């Protein structure tokens, strides 16, 4: 029986379908990870090709030389990656809202973090070091008290922090042309952060699957109990 069939079979239980949202979030995470893997491949290509004789694309003082074909294709790769990252973020947030709402319905307790943290927790300095993970952990523990937190959650968050705040990860402080210059000069820091982002995407996908499965199991058990009570 699918989650949607469960929902229609017990309409009196106010749970939001989370299984499909979880699958979409997993797909978004894996696509974003693939985008960063391709990005890393292009950075290796830039490093192997070497810097052209006329210097990096960003000449300094606001001067940029025309791009060659490889550099131009890197711009396309980074743009596509940014688009996939945005889609991934929207799918993940949709899943997180459903997970949080269901956890509240299962436990009867208010979430530890207010609703605005679902968005602001990712962007507010300092708070973004722990709040997003805290929302996932709080929803998991409210959904399944006493159950051990999946290890993939901590792996995901550690790699996400490394890939995001490593200086050349998800949140780039330099322009794409400046990143190309880095690839020509010293590509390894770029590749380390790319690897962290790819690892975070894979670990995040595993974490979403594990947390979703636990909550779906708990919801089905709760609905079965309600059905037994109604049958008496």
């Amino acid at each position: 029986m699918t989650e949607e069939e469960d929902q229609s079979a017990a309409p009196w239980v106010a749970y939001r379908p989370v299984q499909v949202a979880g699958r979409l979030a997993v797909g978004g995470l894996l696509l974003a990870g693939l985008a960063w893997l391709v990005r890393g491949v292009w950075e290796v290509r830039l490093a192997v090709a070497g810097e052209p004789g006329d210097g990096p694309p960003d000449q300094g003082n606001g001067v940029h030389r025309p791009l060659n074909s490889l550099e131009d294709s890197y711009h396309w790769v980074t743009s596509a990656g940014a688009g996939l990252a945005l889609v991934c973020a929207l799918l993940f947030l949709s899943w997180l809202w459903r997970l949080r709402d269901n956890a509240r319905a299962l436990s009867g307790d208010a979430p530890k973090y207010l609703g605005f943290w679902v968005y602001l927790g990712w962007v507010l300095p300092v708070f973004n070091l722990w709040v997003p993970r805290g929302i996932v952990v709080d929803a998991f523990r409210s959904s399944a008290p006493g159950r051990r937190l999946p290890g993939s959650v901590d792996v995901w968050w550690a790699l996400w922090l490394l890939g995001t705040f490593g200086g050349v990860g998800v949140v780039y402080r330099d322009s794409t042309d400046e990143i190309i210059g880095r690839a020509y000069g010293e590509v390894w820091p770029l590749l380390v952060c790319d690897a962290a982002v790819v690892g975070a995407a894979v670990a995040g996908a595993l974490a979403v699957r594990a947390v979703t499965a636990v909550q779906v199991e708990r919801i089905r058990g709760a609905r079965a109990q309600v059905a037994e009570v109604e049958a008496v």
Side-chain angles (χ1 to χ4, degrees):
M1 179 179 289
T2 67
E3 184 188 14
E4 286 72 16
E5 291 170 338
D6 284 345
Q7 186 95 1
S8 60
W12 59 85
V13 182
Y15 299 120
R16 301 183 65 189
V18 71
Q19 203 167 31
V20 172
R23 290 170 182 167
L24 291 173
V26 166
L29 283 162
L30 294 179
L31 282 176
L34 178 61
W36 250 256
L37 178 62
V38 173
R39 188 179 201 138
V41 170
W42 248 253
E43 288 161 358
V44 170
R45 292 183 64 192
L46 288 165
V48 171
E51 186 175 277
D54 49 359
D58 186 349
Q59 304 279 298
N61 298 318
V63 178
H64 293 259
R65 66 164 172 78
L67 301 175
N68 61 37
S69 59
L70 180 58
E71 293 165 347
D72 190 54
S73 65
Y74 182 73
H75 273 263
W76 282 101
V77 166
T78 56
S79 296
L84 286 174
L86 176 60
V87 172
C88 173
L90 294 174
L91 293 174
F92 188 90
L93 289 176
S94 175
W95 168 78
L96 190 56
W97 268 112
R98 293 167 183 267
L99 184 80
R100 181 176 176 276
D101 288 348
N102 287 343
R104 177 171 53 190
L106 285 166
S107 67
D109 298 327
K112 181 178 179 180
Y113 297 91
L114 296 176
F116 65 84
W117 286 114
V118 175
Y119 298 111
L120 294 184
W122 298 89
V123 297
L124 286 181
V126 181
F127 293 98
N128 56 8
L129 296 177
W130 76 83
V131 169
R133 175 190 176 275
I135 294 172
V136 174
V137 171
D138 181 57
F140 176 84
R141 289 175 176 164
S142 296
S143 300
R147 292 283 291 268
R148 183 177 180 181
L149 181 72
S152 54
V153 174
D154 288 328
V155 174
W156 156 66
W157 191 244
L159 291 173
W160 168 259
L161 291 178
L162 176 60
T164 302
F165 302 106
V168 291
V170 175
V171 181
Y172 284 95
R173 297 176 178 84
D174 295 337
S175 68
T176 303
D177 284 350
E178 288 172 325
I179 295 297
I180 291 173
R182 288 192 181 193
Y184 286 141
E186 190 176 9
V187 74
W188 292 110
L190 290 169
L191 297 181
V192 168
C193 283
D194 289 338
V197 173
V198 173
V202 174
L206 295 174
V208 169
R209 285 191 62 187
V211 172
T212 302
V214 169
Q215 188 174 86
V216 168
E217 178 186 350
R218 177 76 191 283
I219 288 173
R220 287 176 175 169
R223 285 179 175 156
Q225 291 177 356
V226 172
E228 290 177 1
V229 171
E230 291 290 328
V232 174

